């Protein structure tokens, strides 16, 4: 595609005389303003390069060079044997940002010379080409009608060890017009030039990249080139998706060495990566000693190049907060992957008898079958919100009244309260009541929950919170993703421990807050002592319950479910072959980057055109 051009005008910069192919001669101070260090250059050279005047060199202790000074290491000038300045040197670290090409300038290598010419084109918005590019000479010219020309050759062609190159002739005068597109602004160059922006913000947008190039260089770049540049930059920052799989052995070995007792299991299929399981020793021991016996299970899909799913186990700590336990990378959510994950979890958490354990899930594919096979005596709950989402999607089951009645039945803590809510639902819609009757109430209503695990959770919010915490890691290469998850888990454990050590009360903050709220609700409750530490509590409107202080129980079952008293009580490997990435499974259509939202969820405002533009 031809370059877009603005109206032509002349540009002059550092115009120097000289014949094409001539040797460096008549070097004066004005030619090297960009490289002057406070002293003048020697101009006593004749055309044949022989020196005419050789001044006497007087050295003293005061004039001797300081061997410990760092200034001499990056000196911008080359000196002859008499100590006079000979040629200016090009420093790639400082001069490449805005190179000024002048006659006699010396470059460390030919590649650096060509890079400097390309950067000169980007800065000055011109397009040149190399008409000669061999081992001895380089010639760069501009457009046909532009006189700009550069000749360069090796500084010492007879010395094979010297790779320095020098500009011998340059006509630094442009008559061409500025261009709006430049072939030297490639995706590879863009990725390295703006690498610092992607290091700070991996979500640095393509639009911002386009605008920065327009502001910095006045060049228009297509969005597809920006996309390729972003992919290259993210590979430099985060690593290559495919290459990371070859380092899994070393990563897991270091993981176990730094965290003794940690479980790491990698399953392969003839070197082909299939699954990976990680359970930190700190998470394992913390759950065994200080967490409630309820486990949240959930999975989320990964957005990386090879896809897959991440399965996670999240517990509930003493402060009713999330407590990550273990996670695994699998090919997909199915019965085999869930069975493999739960079998390893059973061994790590030492679950010999599942009678006191409760699993909370969203009824993922294959999960219910895996739980029933491995934990026959476990209590299985299903997230009430996901059940309600299925409920409201049925025609005729929507509306605020239906919603209120459903949650009334789910939050009921004793059977009579649950029956009243279901009777109310039947009066609204018999089909809705029949649909709920088909669902086992032991999985979604507190009135039928077991009291063994001391938790009244209705929702799987803990797992959803964990998925949100690791959201930024789900599109990264495998080792980068594992590192982000590990750091987030460790940071949370440390912060929660520090907060608990600073809290002065005997109970955890959230538990203390719940008790204070329950105590304020007990003002309208009247207890009657019935002997043996039992009370009959009148809550008004014919609502009475029995509180047993010795057994920490109440007939309303709130105390039994959560373990927190209800208001009625308050009145009283290196040798192994490298791992190969999994096979890419790409579903048809454009890949989705966001989850599917429900009907009643808030969506972004603003109109969106259809495919036809109407």
């Amino acid at each position: 595609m031809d370059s877009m051009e603005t109206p032509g005008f002349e540009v002059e910069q550092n115009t120097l005389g000289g014949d094409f192919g001539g040797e460096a001669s008549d070097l004066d101070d004005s030619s090297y303003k960009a490289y002057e260090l406070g002293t003048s250059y020697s101009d006593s050279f004749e055309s044949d390069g022989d020196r005419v005047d050789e001044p006497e060199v007087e050295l003293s202790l005061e004039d001797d060079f300081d061997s410990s000074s760092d200034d001499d290491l990056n000196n911008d000038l080359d000196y002859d044997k008499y100590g006079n300045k000979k040629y200016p040197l090009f420093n790639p670290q400082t001069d490449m940002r805005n190179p000024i090409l002048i006659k006699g300038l010396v470059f460390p290598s030919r590649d650096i010379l060509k890079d400097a010419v390309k950067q000169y084109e980007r800065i000055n918005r011109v397009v040149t080409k190399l008409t000669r590019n061999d081992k001895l000479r380089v010639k760069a010219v501009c457009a046909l009608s532009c006189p700009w020309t550069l000749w360069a050759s090796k500084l010492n062609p007879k010395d094979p060890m010297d790779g320095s190159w020098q500009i011998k002739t340059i006509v630094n005068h442009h008559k061409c017009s500025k261009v709006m597109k430049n072939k030297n602004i490639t995706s590879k160059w863009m990725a390295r030039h703006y690498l610092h922006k992607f290091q700070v913000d991996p979500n640095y947008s393509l639009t911002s990249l386009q605008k920065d190039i327009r502001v910095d260089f006045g060049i228009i770049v297509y969005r597809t080139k920006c996309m390729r540049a972003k992919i290259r930059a993210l590979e430099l920052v985060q690593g290559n998706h495919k290459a990371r799989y070859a380092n899994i052995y070393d990563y897991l070995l270091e993981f176990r060495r730094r965290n003794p007792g940690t479980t790491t299991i990698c399953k392969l299929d003839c070197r082909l990566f299939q699954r990976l399981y990680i359970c930190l020793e700190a998470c394992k021991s913390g759950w065994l000693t200080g967490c409630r016996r309820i486990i949240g299970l959930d999975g989320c899909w990964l957005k990386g190049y090879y896809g897959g799913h991440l399965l996670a186990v999240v517990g509930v700590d003493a402060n009713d907060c999330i407590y990550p336990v273990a996670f695994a990378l699998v090919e997909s959510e199915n019965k085999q992957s869930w069975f493999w994950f739960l079998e390893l979890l059973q061994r790590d958490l030492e679950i010999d008898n599942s009678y006191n354990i409760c699993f909370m899930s969203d009824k993922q594919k294959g999960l219910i079958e895996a739980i029933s096979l491995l934990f026959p005596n476990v209590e299985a709950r299903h997230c009430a919100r996901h059940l309600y989402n299925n409920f409201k999607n049925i025609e005729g089951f929507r509306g605020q009244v239906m919603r209120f009645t459903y949650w009334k039945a789910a939050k009921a803590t004793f059977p009579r309260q649950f029956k009243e809510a279901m009777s109310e639902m039947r009066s609204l819609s018999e089909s809705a009541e029949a649909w709920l009757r088909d669902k086992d109430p032991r999985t979604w209503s507190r009135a039928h929950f077991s009291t063994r695990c001391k938790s009244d959770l209705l929702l799987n919010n803990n797992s959803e919170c964990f998925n949100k915490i690791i959201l930024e890691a789900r599109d990264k290469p495998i080792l980068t993703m594992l590192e982000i998850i590990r750091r987030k888990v460790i940071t949370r454990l440390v912060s929660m421990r520090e907060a608990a050590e600073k809290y002065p009360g005997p109970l955890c903050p959230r538990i203390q807050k719940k008790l204070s709220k329950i105590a304020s609700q007990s003002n309208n409750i009247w207890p009657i002592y019935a002997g043996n530490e039992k009370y009959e509590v009148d809550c008004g409107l014919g609502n009475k319950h029995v509180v047993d202080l010795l057994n920490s129980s109440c007939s309303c079952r709130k105390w039994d479910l959560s373990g927190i008293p209800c208001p009625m009580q308050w009145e009283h490997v290196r040798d192994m072959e490298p791992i190969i990435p999994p096979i890419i499974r790409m579903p048809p259509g454009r890949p989705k980057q966001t989850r599917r939202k429900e009907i009643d969820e808030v969506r972004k405002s603003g109109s969106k055109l259809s495919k036809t533009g109407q």
Side-chain angles (χ1 to χ4, degrees):
M1 181 177 295
D2 295 335
S3 300
M4 297 174 59
E5 299 183 354
T6 57
F9 58 91
E10 297 184 2
V11 179
E12 294 189 11
Q13 180 180 355
N14 298 330
T15 304
L16 300 177
D19 298 330
F20 294 100
E23 297 296 331
S25 61
D26 297 333
L27 303 180
D28 54 14
D29 294 342
S30 61
S31 302
Y32 308 117
K33 293 181 179 179
Y35 303 94
E36 190 171 4
L37 297 179
T39 55
S40 61
Y41 294 92
S42 174
D43 59 352
S44 56
F45 290 91
E46 293 197 4
S47 58
D48 57 357
D50 296 333
R51 183 173 177 82
V52 177
D53 297 326
E54 297 184 358
E56 296 181 0
V57 180
E58 296 181 0
L59 298 178
S60 63
L61 294 177
E62 291 80 4
D63 298 333
D64 198 5
F65 294 102
D66 184 6
S67 60
S68 63
S69 175
D70 293 338
D71 296 337
D72 296 331
L73 299 178
N74 296 321
N75 205 327
D76 289 342
L77 297 175
D78 188 16
Y79 291 84
D80 60 12
K81 61 181 180 178
Y82 302 102
N84 296 322
K85 293 174 294 183
K86 192 174 182 182
Y87 303 121
L89 299 179
F90 183 86
N91 189 343
Q93 298 179 353
T94 58
D95 301 335
M96 187 62 76
R97 185 174 184 84
N98 186 13
I100 300 177
L101 305 179
I102 60 175
K103 185 177 179 181
L105 184 61
V106 178
F107 296 84
S109 66
R110 184 180 61 171
D111 292 336
I112 295 178
L113 167 64
K114 293 193 292 185
D115 290 341
V117 173
K118 292 179 181 179
Q119 183 68 5
Y120 170 83
E121 296 177 28
R122 302 183 191 105
I123 296 295
N124 295 277
R125 294 174 58 188
V126 295
V127 177
T128 66
K129 63 178 180 179
L130 298 178
T131 58
R132 185 182 294 274
N133 183 21
D134 53 38
K135 296 182 179 180
L136 298 177
R137 291 172 292 181
V138 169
K139 180 182 179 181
V141 298
C142 195
L144 294 177
S145 59
C146 182
W148 188 92
T149 308
L150 180 145
W151 271 96
S153 63
K154 293 195 69 173
L155 182 62
N156 298 311
K158 296 182 179 180
D159 186 0
M161 302 301 295
D162 187 4
S164 302
W165 283 64
Q166 184 184 41
I167 298 178
K168 300 301 179 64
T169 302
I170 182 170
V171 178
N172 214 344
H173 177 71
H174 283 281
K175 289 185 178 181
C176 57
S177 59
K178 298 288 186 179
V179 298
M180 299 296 294
K181 297 178 183 178
N182 196 317
K183 63 180 181 180
N184 289 318
I185 297 185
T186 61
S187 60
K188 183 177 181 180
W189 176 85
M190 291 163 55
R192 292 190 176 277
H193 187 77
Y194 293 98
L195 183 63
H196 62 283
K197 291 185 177 291
F198 290 98
Q199 289 175 336
V200 175
D201 181 17
N203 297 322
Y204 182 56
S205 66
L206 303 180
T207 303
S208 300
L209 181 58
Q210 281 182 307
K211 291 180 179 179
D212 287 344
I213 295 176
R214 182 69 179 270
V215 172
D216 296 342
F217 300 97
I219 300 297
I220 297 176
V221 182
Y222 287 117
R223 192 176 181 88
T224 54
K225 183 181 288 187
C226 293
M227 173 60 75
R228 295 194 298 270
K230 182 175 182 179
I231 294 174
R232 287 177 178 271
L234 291 180
E235 285 187 356
L236 293 174
V237 175
Q238 302 170 358
N240 183 271
H241 283 264
K242 182 178 180 180
R244 288 288 186 173
Y245 282 90
N247 300 325
I248 289 181
Y249 289 138
D250 296 335
Y251 178 79
L252 296 183
L253 182 63
E254 184 68 15
F255 208 107
R256 293 193 299 269
R257 190 175 71 86
R258 295 288 183 178
N259 303 273
T262 296
T263 304
T264 60
I265 304 294
C266 183
K267 183 179 180 181
L268 307 178
D269 184 10
C270 297
R271 290 180 56 204
L272 196 67
F273 178 85
Q274 191 173 6
R275 297 166 188 166
L276 177 63
Y277 170 88
I278 293 179
C279 181
L280 288 169
E281 170 63 24
C283 299
K284 186 192 315 181
S285 59
W287 187 88
L288 291 173
T289 56
C291 289
R292 300 177 186 270
R293 292 301 180 257
I294 182 169
I295 296 174
L297 301 172
D298 196 12
C300 59
W301 50 281
L302 302 177
K303 307 176 186 178
Y305 184 76
Y306 293 99
H309 285 72
L310 187 140
L311 310 181
V313 172
V314 180
V316 180
D317 62 12
N319 197 33
D320 272 357
C321 295
I322 66 172
Y323 189 87
V325 180
F327 59 91
L329 308 181
V330 298
E331 69 280 5
S332 63
E333 286 191 70
N334 50 52
K335 179 180 177 181
Q336 290 75 21
S337 60
W338 274 113
F339 187 90
W340 177 81
F341 180 51
L342 293 178
E343 189 175 21
L344 296 175
L345 181 71
Q346 181 184 29
R347 184 181 65 184
D348 277 338
L349 300 186
E350 303 174 3
I351 303 178
D352 298 328
N353 185 3
S354 60
Y355 181 75
N356 294 323
I357 304 296
C358 175
F359 282 153
M360 172 70 75
S361 67
D362 301 337
K363 298 182 64 175
Q364 286 89 346
K365 297 178 182 179
L367 177 58
I368 304 303
E369 295 84 353
I371 291 177
S372 60
L373 290 175
L374 288 173
F375 308 98
N377 299 323
V378 78
E379 179 188 2
R381 299 181 188 177
H382 301 153
C383 181
R385 177 175 291 145
H386 285 76
L387 182 63
Y388 174 70
N389 290 337
N390 298 333
F391 175 80
K392 70 181 180 182
N393 289 333
I394 302 176
E395 189 66 28
F397 292 0
R398 301 171 186 169
Q400 293 297 325
V401 180
M402 283 281 192
R403 176 177 176 273
F404 176 78
T405 308
Y406 168 83
W407 286 110
K408 184 177 180 181
K411 295 179 180 179
T413 57
F414 53 95
R416 179 167 59 86
Q417 192 177 10
F418 175 77
K419 291 180 180 178
E420 292 175 356
M422 294 300 291
S423 299
E424 187 177 347
M425 180 67 74
R426 187 186 306 111
S427 63
L428 295 175
S429 173
E430 293 184 359
S431 58
E433 191 269 344
W435 188 88
L436 289 176
R437 286 288 182 189
D438 291 338
K439 312 300 177 184
D440 189 355
R442 293 177 299 178
T443 62
W444 64 277
S445 177
R446 286 175 178 169
H448 298 84
F449 283 174
S450 170
T451 60
R452 298 190 296 269
C453 67
K454 299 303 177 183
S455 176
D456 59 350
L457 288 179
L458 284 172
L459 310 177
N460 200 17
N461 277 355
N462 292 335
S463 297
E464 300 295 341
C465 291
F466 180 76
N467 291 340
K468 185 177 181 180
I469 292 174
I470 65 172
L471 180 62
E472 65 173 288
R474 288 164 56 183
D475 61 342
K476 305 295 189 297
I478 181 169
L479 296 188
T480 306
M481 176 178 61
L482 294 176
E483 269 298 285
I484 293 176
I485 296 176
R486 182 189 65 85
R487 288 197 301 265
K488 287 185 174 295
V489 170
I490 293 177
T491 302
R492 177 166 182 81
L493 295 181
V494 173
S495 61
M496 296 300 291
R497 183 182 64 184
E498 292 177 351
E501 292 175 351
K502 295 178 182 179
Y503 189 71
L507 300 177
C508 295
R510 296 188 66 177
I511 305 301
Q512 185 63 53
K513 185 177 180 180
K514 289 183 178 181
L515 291 176
S516 301
K517 183 178 179 181
I518 291 173
S520 63
Q521 295 174 353
S522 64
N523 294 331
N524 298 324
I525 296 176
W526 299 271
I528 299 176
Y529 183 63
N532 295 329
E533 298 298 327
K534 294 183 179 179
Y535 290 83
E536 178 183 316
V537 181
D538 187 358
C539 302
L541 300 177
N543 190 8
K544 297 182 180 180
H545 297 281
V546 177
V547 176
D548 188 349
L549 298 181
L550 292 178
N551 297 320
S552 301
S553 175
C554 179
S555 59
C556 74
R557 300 184 75 247
K558 290 184 179 179
W559 195 357
D560 305 67
L561 286 171
S562 63
I564 300 176
C566 58
M568 277 71 77
Q569 186 268 348
W570 277 91
E571 290 294 321
H572 288 327
V573 173
R574 297 183 182 274
D575 294 331
M576 303 179 67
E577 296 182 351
I579 299 175
I580 301 175
I583 299 175
I584 302 176
R585 299 177 176 86
M586 297 295 292
R590 191 173 185 177
K592 297 180 180 180
Q593 296 295 326
T594 57
R595 66 178 182 85
R596 183 182 59 190
K597 294 187 177 181
E598 300 295 337
I599 298 176
D600 56 346
E601 284 193 74
V602 179
R603 288 174 167 79
K604 293 182 178 180
S605 59
S607 59
K608 184 177 181 181
L609 294 177
S610 63
K611 292 183 179 179
T612 59
Q614 300 178 353

